[in-house]
Amino acid sequence: MTRTTTPKEPGRFMKFDPTVSTGTIIQTLVFIIGVATAYGGYREDQVKQDGRIAMVEALADKDRDSTKESLKKIEGQVADLAKSNQDIKESLAILRGRAAEPGSRK
């Protein structure tokens, strides 16, 4: 026995399979639509999350700048206090020197 093969028709890429029913086609379409919907929801959540992250980064930069300014202000105040403390020590040393001089009031 010999097998006879039918030549392919030019221009036809797919051959109809009679075992594929309308239900199979509908299931496939529903699956594809479900995957596309799920992916769209995922992308939407990801975009929202990226927006939240950008907002938090902007607030962190603002807080960082505010903290730097406050730190500079505090450093200036500490320097002023250190100078005032040094002035008080010098004044106290002068007063003690005057009190130690002979003929001064006690």
Side-chain angles (χ1 to χ4, degrees):
M1 246 190 232
T2 61
R3 287 176 117 183
T4 59
T5 58
T6 59
K8 285 189 173 181
E9 296 177 20
R12 256 188 116 174
F13 297 109
M14 291 178 45
K15 184 178 177 184
F16 178 72
D17 185 4
T19 60
V20 175
S21 68
T22 307
T24 305
I25 294 171
I26 291 174
Q27 281 182 334
T28 305
L29 289 175
V30 167
F31 177 75
I32 291 172
I33 291 170
V35 168
T37 303
Y39 181 73
Y42 167 74
R43 290 297 299 158
E44 182 181 342
D45 288 344
Q46 191 174 13
V47 166
K48 285 180 183 177
Q49 186 69 18
D50 290 344
R52 288 185 202 126
I53 289 171
M55 185 176 64
V56 167
E57 287 175 349
L59 288 174
D61 289 341
K62 185 178 177 182
D63 287 345
R64 188 178 306 119
D65 293 341
S66 174
T67 303
K68 284 181 182 179
E69 290 176 14
S70 297
L71 183 60
K72 285 180 183 179
K73 192 182 293 184
I74 290 171
E75 287 173 347
Q77 291 173 349
V78 167
D80 290 343
L81 289 174
K83 184 180 178 200
S84 296
N85 191 18
Q86 184 63 32
D87 291 344
I88 291 171
K89 285 181 182 179
E90 289 173 5
S91 298
L92 184 60
I94 291 171
L95 290 174
R96 283 185 181 165
R98 286 185 185 165
E101 291 177 359
S104 64
R105 288 193 243 169
K106 293 186 180 181

